[in-house]
Amino acid sequence: MIHNSFSVTMNFAVAFALFYLITVESWRVHSQEPKKLYVNMTLVNNARETGAFCLDGSLPAYHLDRGFGAGEDNWLLQFEGGGWCNDLKSCLERAKTRRGSTNYMTKYETFNGILSNNATVNPDFYNWNRVKLRYCDGASFTGNRVFNNGTTKLYFKGQNIWEAIIADILPKGLGKARKALLSGCSAGGLATFHHCDNFTKYLPTNASVKCLSDAGFFLDGRDVSLNHTMRYFFKSVVTLQGSVQNLNKNCTSAMSSYPDLCFFPQYVLKYISTPYFILNSAYDVFQFHNILVPPSADPHGHWNHCKKDPAACTPTEINTLQGFRLSMIAASKPIYFYSNRGGIFINSCFAHCQSESQDTWSGADSPRIINTTIAEAVGDWYFCRNKSKAIDWPYPCDTTCRNLIPVLHNLIP
């Protein structure tokens, strides 16, 4: 009886000790994580003057965290992403969400990754003025028209929103910037292609101005049923929102028969004169799910297992994915082969947007190419420390990937 009681007591003591050690270790690990930075929203009141409204007529907005020390005259602008709307129905639905109205947006945004103010995890840009431009127009900040049939009114004013936000922050210090980087993720990454050269015109002629697209290098490719699903989708976006007038003039002139194709980065890239960096996955999951294998191209869901887990892909499906990777590499030739000022980081991770998350931007287990993280590659390029052009070997070679394949809402039919 005494022995059993002693045994129970010892078991309890061991269990308690283990619980204590686990708890302390968990606290120790989490206490070393960077403190989250929440940045307040600023509404652009002067947007009323130019009619630069979100889809629903609300004021556009941005979040600004001030730079300090050696970075107080340097500026990083980050376009928010979030897909597109290509017809009245989808735009009306979007106007009732945070993607089309600041009324539904969070008033504070967490700044992580390239927007972090922590020198340990973001050593090159942590003390810059960092701005997040909220996305509420549905056409990567390029539209310029208003739809009004008497009962329904939608503002397609992305171009005006871009100009209104710039006008609002120029007197806050952007107008005297010494260094500047225009960046963006997904649809925001696409926006950098359309506003990169224009951005330089607002800044001092002696400023160092460069641009970065993260997961915004959307390809004009055929899907698995050999249709140009993405081409027709982008054409409908551009037509609906009146975007052609705001696309690169040299590109639309050269492609006068199909000016809407200049919405695709691969066609406008060679006309951009500002130094440019392309950050993308060769197996970008958004493009995989919506350009290569949209629902319309796979009505019976034969690709579903492969979409959920690359390890479950058949040899034929892997070959198709490798073909898509080669198309991306070929489209990036203006940067990789012909630009001395450009940079590129194309890894083999099944991911989408890698600069805004601390896990993928800069961490002990972040993705790497030749032992270089994304943050290091971008910093090396911007500050001209090293040549920064890296393309990973084909899947499944890369063991540094954080292959978190999200369930992405299908934007393409």
Side-chain angles (χ1 to χ4, degrees), residues 136-154:
C136 64
D137 65 278
S140 290
F141 295 83
T142 62
N144 189 17
R145 64 179 289 242
V146 177
F147 173 83
N148 189 353
N149 65 358
T151 57
T152 301
K153 191 172 187 179
L154 285 169

Side-chain angles (χ1 to χ4, degrees), residues 71 202 372:
Y202 290 102
T372 300

Side-chain angles (χ1 to χ4, degrees), residues 9 23 44 160 200 218-219 241 284 296 302 352 403 412:
T9 303
T23 302
V44 186
N160 304 67
T200 66
F218 298 98
L219 295 183
Q241 301 219 20
D284 184 290
S296 60
H302 296 307
H352 184 68
N403 285 322
I412 315 302

Side-chain angles (χ1 to χ4, degrees), residues 58-84:
S58 59
L59 290 172
Y62 62 89
H63 302 254
L64 165 62
D65 189 50
R66 284 289 189 176
F68 56 91
E72 64 179 354
D73 291 327
N74 301 334
W75 288 77
L76 189 156
L77 276 63
Q78 176 87 348
F79 283 115
E80 182 181 29
W84 313 268

Side-chain angles (χ1 to χ4, degrees), residues 256-334:
S256 56
S257 298
Y258 308 97
D260 51 276
L261 287 180
C262 292
F263 200 63
F264 282 99
Q266 68 198 79
Y267 300 119
V268 73
L269 180 59
K270 65 181 178 180
Y271 298 106
I272 297 174
S273 58
T274 307
Y276 209 95
F277 191 101
I278 293 176
L279 164 61
N280 231 95
S281 165
Y283 310 98
D284 184 290
V285 289
F286 178 89
Q287 297 197 53
F288 176 14
H289 293 189
N290 293 278
I291 297 180
L292 183 62
V293 193
S296 60
D298 185 33
H300 301 294
H302 296 307
W303 278 77
N304 287 349
H305 62 291
C306 182
K307 285 182 175 181
K308 293 177 181 177
D309 179 10
C313 298
T314 66
T316 300
E317 290 166 342
I318 289 294
N319 286 338
T320 301
L321 285 168
Q322 304 300 20
F324 188 83
R325 170 184 174 273
L326 292 176
S327 296
M328 182 169 291
I329 292 172
S332 67
K333 280 184 179 180

Side-chain angles (χ1 to χ4, degrees), residues 33 75 93 97 120 208 224 227 259 309 326 357 369 388 394 397 406:
E33 293 178 354
W75 288 77
E93 293 174 351
T97 73
T120 302
S208 173
V224 292
N227 291 317
D309 179 10
L326 292 176
S357 168
I369 300 180
S388 193
C397 73

Side-chain angles (χ1 to χ4, degrees), residues 143-365:
N144 189 17
R145 64 179 289 242
V146 177
F147 173 83
N148 189 353
N149 65 358
T151 57
T152 301
K153 191 172 187 179
L154 285 169
Y155 293 87
F156 301 124
K157 305 294 282 186
Q159 176 70 27
N160 304 67
I161 290 172
W162 156 250
E163 293 170 357
I165 293 178
I166 290 295
D168 205 61
I169 60 178
L170 278 172
K172 296 181 179 181
L174 178 63
K176 59 182 181 67
R178 292 169 48 249
K179 294 182 175 65
L181 175 62
L182 181 66
S183 63
C185 160
S186 193
L190 177 60
T192 65
F193 287 95
H194 302 312
H195 295 294
C196 182
D197 282 346
N198 175 254
F199 181 52
T200 66
K201 297 177 182 179
Y202 290 102
L203 306 180
T205 54
N206 62 346
S208 173
V209 186
K210 302 185 180 184
C211 302
L212 160 69
S213 170
D214 175 11
F217 199 57
F218 298 98
L219 295 183
D220 175 29
R222 293 181 184 272
D223 60 35
V224 292
S225 64
L226 302 182
N227 291 317
H228 278 290
T229 301
M230 194 65 179
R231 178 183 294 186
Y232 296 124
F233 179 83
F234 269 177
K235 179 180 177 63
S236 61
V237 171
V238 169
T239 302
L240 175 69
Q241 301 219 20
S243 298
V244 166
Q245 61 186 301
N246 297 315
L247 302 182
N248 185 286
K249 297 297 188 293
N250 291 326
C251 181
T252 56
S253 176
M255 305 184 70
S256 56
S257 298
Y258 308 97
D260 51 276
L261 287 180
C262 292
F263 200 63
F264 282 99
Q266 68 198 79
Y267 300 119
V268 73
L269 180 59
K270 65 181 178 180
Y271 298 106
I272 297 174
S273 58
T274 307
Y276 209 95
F277 191 101
I278 293 176
L279 164 61
N280 231 95
S281 165
Y283 310 98
D284 184 290
V285 289
F286 178 89
Q287 297 197 53
F288 176 14
H289 293 189
N290 293 278
I291 297 180
L292 183 62
V293 193
S296 60
D298 185 33
H300 301 294
H302 296 307
W303 278 77
N304 287 349
H305 62 291
C306 182
K307 285 182 175 181
K308 293 177 181 177
D309 179 10
C313 298
T314 66
T316 300
E317 290 166 342
I318 289 294
N319 286 338
T320 301
L321 285 168
Q322 304 300 20
F324 188 83
R325 170 184 174 273
L326 292 176
S327 296
M328 182 169 291
I329 292 172
S332 67
K333 280 184 179 180
I335 289 287
Y336 192 76
F337 291 105
Y338 307 126
S339 173
N340 292 326
R341 300 187 301 164
I344 194 167
F345 190 102
I346 296 182
N347 58 14
S348 294
C349 305
F350 285 78
H352 184 68
C353 288
Q354 301 179 86
S355 66
E356 293 181 333
S357 168
Q358 203 55 63
D359 291 338
T360 48
W361 174 246
S362 175
D365 58 349

